[in-house]
Amino acid sequence: MDRPIICGACLIAIAAQAQAFQLPTANHTLFEKGGEERFFVGTAGKPWLTGTFGCVRMGGWQMHEGLDIRCLQRDRQGEPTDPVLATADGTVAYLSTRPSLSNYGIYLILRHQVEGFEIYSLYAHLREVRHDLKIGQAVKAGEEVAIMGRTANTRDSISKDRAHVHFELNLLVNDRFASWYKKTFPGQRNDHGDWNGQNLLGIDPRLILLGQYEQGAKFSLVGFLQSQTELCRVLVRKTCFPWLKRYAALVRPNPRAEKEGVAGYEIALNFNGVAFELIPRAASEIKGKAKFQLLSVHEAEYHKNPARRLVAKRGAHWELSSHGMNQ
Ligand SMILES: [Zn+2]
């Protein structure tokens, strides 16, 4: 759909309205027709699409879990200096100020409540986090929280011309991730506790920001999640897991299970492993005894977005991979 071109002043007026999420820098070209080149930074030598969210790298086999947003301001050395802004009202959840510990370099995570839903924004490759910020501190939408930079611990550093903030919106899988990790992978380092990337599941910030922009007050984050494309459907013989409590708005009622007692959950996953629909099931509705069962796979979605490798085809059968199980 074509979007109208809107002047900067109008954009600020729109952003000031009660929308849950705002752009994390002054770069608003996402909302301009044909503005993608000026908004996204692709990987070295590749088009802007590789700076968007999804299976956009290595021919679709590598996932990029955020948006790489181009810098607008530089100092005399050509280093990025854009203020990085809180995308929504929230509190500081985590900050990592030692660039050598992550390919995110220096990064910051904020916790937000949107429509009663816990959601986390992440800002990476920062030059610095605002010095007075502490875990638990409240911030307002649009408040400056950091300065854009080029920090990372990867072998190939981010060049000056590719300077950007890497911006994510995430759901949190498990509050006890750190202890689960220690038990499951004894001896392996986990420098970031519950804030390990494996414990955060990204959703597409571009679709959310554009959805809000186009639908205004009608936009709903829960509605956005409920309308994800299904990759597969699994059955889990568990009745209590953290996702169920944190994202209870995604549970669909099932009178039979409510009457007979819940024995497990049927769960729809999108290509990134986000459980966007959970249906309680009674024992009488469950076949087989396995703890996890893969009920169905949408092959077209798998071919379109394969990078997470949540399912795999063995002969004529689909199986849930170990990546899929750990979700
Ligand atoms: Zn990135």
Side-chain angles (χ1 to χ4, degrees):
M1 191 171 90
D2 281 351
R3 286 185 299 282
I5 295 172
I6 290 190
C7 75
C10 299
L11 277 173
I12 290 161
I14 289 167
Q17 287 171 14
Q19 295 197 331
F21 299 101
Q22 299 184 16
L23 281 163
T25 74
N27 189 341
H28 286 193
T29 50
L30 178 70
F31 299 137
E32 289 179 22
K33 194 178 172 191
E36 292 88 352
E37 294 273 6
R38 284 172 289 141
F39 187 78
F40 294 105
V41 177
T43 52
K46 292 284 189 318
W48 61 266
L49 207 65
T50 56
T52 62
F53 173 94
C55 306
V56 293
R57 297 181 176 177
M58 309 286 282
W61 286 96
Q62 193 188 328
M63 175 83 192
H64 181 237
E65 215 154 2
L67 309 182
D68 287 349
I69 303 172
R70 193 177 286 283
C71 95
L72 295 177
Q73 290 182 28
R74 294 176 188 271
D75 65 13
R76 277 203 213 141
Q77 283 74 42
E79 294 294 345
T81 58
D82 301 44
V84 173
L85 316 171
T87 187
D89 291 350
T91 55
V92 177
Y94 186 66
L95 32 94
S96 183
T97 53
R98 283 171 58 195
S100 61
L101 287 184
S102 170
N103 53 12
Y104 285 147
I106 293 173
Y107 70 97
L108 169 71
I109 301 178
L110 302 178
R111 176 190 279 117
H112 313 281
Q113 285 286 342
V114 177
E115 298 171 35
F117 226 71
E118 206 169 288
I119 192 158
Y120 294 82
S121 59
L122 181 150
Y123 314 79
H125 310 311
L126 304 169
R127 174 190 286 216
E128 60 181 37
V129 171
R130 206 178 85 204
H131 295 295
D132 64 310
L133 284 189
K134 292 186 181 61
I135 307 278
Q137 189 170 330
V139 293
K140 284 277 171 208
E143 186 175 327
E144 183 174 335
V145 287
I147 302 286
M148 193 186 283
R150 296 192 291 129
T151 56
N153 72 351
T154 41
R155 199 159 43 105
D156 298 321
S157 58
I158 300 165
S159 62
K160 281 184 189 171
D161 63 304
R162 290 191 58 250
H164 62 269
V165 63
H166 170 97
F167 172 60
E168 297 182 3
L169 290 177
N170 290 302
L171 305 179
L172 184 75
V173 180
N174 187 346
D175 333 66
R176 291 182 296 277
F177 176 86
S179 51
W180 171 84
Y181 192 91
K182 219 171 163 182
K183 240 188 288 161
T184 316
F185 305 105
Q188 280 199 38
R189 270 178 74 164
N190 174 21
D191 291 317
H192 304 290
D194 284 346
W195 307 105
N196 184 308
Q198 287 177 49
N199 198 29
L200 297 168
L201 282 182
I203 49 176
D204 189 345
R206 181 192 188 193
L207 294 180
I208 290 174
L209 289 160
L210 289 177
Q212 282 189 159
Y213 182 73
E214 286 163 359
Q215 298 164 34
K218 282 195 221 124
F219 178 83
S220 147
L221 178 65
V222 174
F224 170 79
L225 286 164
Q226 285 170 332
S227 62
Q228 298 291 297
T229 302
E230 182 176 320
L231 167 70
C232 65
R233 201 161 268 265
V234 297
L235 191 114
V236 181
R237 277 188 177 271
K238 266 190 186 176
T239 54
C240 185
F241 42 98
W243 191 274
L244 198 58
K245 283 190 197 152
R246 184 171 285 113
Y247 301 116
L250 300 174
V251 177
R252 286 266 179 100
N254 175 8
R256 182 163 166 185
E258 279 151 33
K259 198 167 143 221
E260 294 178 20
V262 178
Y265 280 83
E266 182 179 319
I267 301 171
L269 301 176
N270 78 355
F271 76 94
N272 198 28
V274 171
F276 65 92
E277 183 184 80
L278 300 100
I279 307 169
R281 290 292 179 204
S284 61
E285 296 177 297
I286 300 175
K287 289 183 202 140
K289 292 267 176 277
K291 216 167 130 197
F292 292 101
Q293 291 177 45
L294 179 62
L295 300 176
S296 58
V297 174
H298 285 234
E299 288 211 34
E301 179 61 11
Y302 175 77
H303 290 299
K304 203 171 152 203
N305 292 306
R308 279 290 187 197
R309 299 169 171 86
L310 294 182
V311 290
K313 205 167 190 178
R314 306 249 182 274
H317 297 283
W318 286 93
E319 287 175 5
L320 200 57
S321 69
S322 56
H323 307 280
M325 297 257 200
N326 285 339
Q327 305 285 346

